[in-house]
Amino acid sequence: MQPQSGDALGAPVLLIEDERDLALEIREELLGAGYRVECVQTLEAGLSAARRGEASVVIVDRMLNGADGLSLVETLRSEGNLAPVLVISALSTVDDRIRGLKAGGDDYLVKPFALPELSARVEALLRRGAATRATWIKVGPLELDLVEREARRDGERVDLLPREFKLLEYFMRRPGQIITRAMLLEDVWNYKFLPQTNVVDVHIGNLRRKLDSGDGRRFIVNVRAAGFKLDAES
Ligand code: CA
């Protein structure tokens, strides 16, 4: 593999975790994977470390001596800090996961997890980091210009309504991940409760018609009994 800018080697990771044994294990794993690691145990220390803006990835536990790590993510986002954040938590319901992603977390890993899984998630966040912070996103032949609010497929402009644009952006920020209808209703439509509605399917149908240009290629594919995912990398 060619070395690239943004190479994972030596990238600084900030770990905010108050369980000492777990923090040590994670640190060991990440050092072994070639990262530099700064460990802190409290929300306050994590916030001031994150505010220095050096960390390429922030890993934060949700339960920090009675404080919720998600409040740190919300604070950082409200300050315009877009460092990729991996939330780790013993809270494992779909609601908890959605709350973690809605607070601005980029990924959510449920405890207990295998340490190599954590490394793999950190690596994925680093790879994605550059794209998500930029003013445009590119996944396979799909491109979004977030400033001009323009979508392109194979370089050709695709006219999208604002909601369709938001929907596509949501998928393009999570390529290959399973996206449930509940996630879309909460995050793209901002529903606080989940109504019985086919609004998601209707909009995805419209978006597909605009993206798919008759060559049989489908970018947003169904995942049986789960939802959808964006398949645009090949
Ligand atoms: Ca904890």
Side-chain angles (χ1 to χ4, degrees):
M1 259 176 65
Q2 293 239 314
Q4 323 170 338
S5 61
D7 198 65
L9 274 183
V13 175
L14 171 62
L15 171 64
I16 310 164
E17 167 62 80
D18 60 349
E19 282 169 60
R20 191 169 295 269
D21 290 349
L22 179 61
L24 286 173
E25 282 179 29
I26 292 175
R27 181 171 174 276
E28 199 73 8
E29 167 72 22
L30 292 175
L31 289 174
Y35 299 101
R36 285 181 284 144
V37 187
E38 178 179 4
C39 299
V40 297
Q41 276 99 45
T42 66
L43 195 72
E44 294 71 28
L47 200 51
S48 56
R51 280 176 171 148
R52 290 203 313 275
E54 290 159 7
S56 297
V57 172
V58 177
I59 302 173
V60 63
D61 180 32
R62 278 203 60 182
M63 287 182 280
L64 294 164
N65 295 309
D68 188 338
L70 288 188
S71 67
L72 172 134
V73 185
E74 283 164 343
T75 303
L76 289 179
R77 295 301 184 243
S78 71
E79 294 171 355
N81 184 322
L82 298 179
V85 175
L86 170 61
V87 178
I88 55 177
S89 174
L91 303 173
S92 64
T93 69
V94 171
D95 268 4
D96 287 313
R97 218 177 83 80
I98 290 173
R99 206 166 300 138
L101 296 172
K102 276 184 75 168
D106 298 280
D107 200 359
Y108 197 95
L109 189 57
V110 174
K111 294 178 181 180
F113 47 78
L115 290 166
E117 171 75 12
L118 179 102
S119 294
R121 303 285 190 105
V122 168
E123 195 193 319
L125 285 178
L126 275 174
R127 266 191 271 116
R128 249 163 56 194
T132 53
R133 259 168 296 172
T135 54
W136 62 276
I137 313 174
K138 181 167 167 48
V139 183
L142 303 178
E143 284 173 76
L144 282 189
D145 183 329
L146 301 172
V147 178
E148 300 296 331
R149 311 302 287 176
E150 275 185 17
R152 289 198 182 76
R153 182 215 155 140
D154 296 316
E156 285 190 33
R157 173 114 186 237
V158 180
D159 285 316
L160 299 180
L161 297 172
R163 184 82 73 185
E164 294 162 352
F165 189 94
K166 203 175 167 195
L167 189 57
L168 182 58
E169 180 184 349
Y170 193 83
F171 276 99
M172 286 178 67
R173 286 186 183 280
R174 297 160 183 80
Q177 288 181 41
I178 292 175
I179 311 287
T180 66
R181 286 178 179 78
M183 288 165 78
L184 293 171
L185 285 171
E186 291 226 8
D187 297 339
V188 178
W189 275 267
N190 301 317
Y191 280 119
K192 299 282 181 268
F193 62 96
L194 299 182
Q196 287 293 323
T197 169
N198 65 351
V199 65
V200 168
D201 297 79
V202 168
H203 278 77
I204 283 187
N206 293 340
L207 183 55
R208 278 175 170 156
R209 269 190 291 284
K210 292 182 177 183
L211 287 181
D212 304 348
S213 69
D215 58 5
R217 173 114 205 247
R218 283 218 141 176
F219 294 102
I220 297 172
V221 299
N222 291 323
V223 180
R224 189 175 291 275
F228 311 92
K229 71 175 180 183
L230 180 69
D231 175 19
E233 297 285 12
S234 54

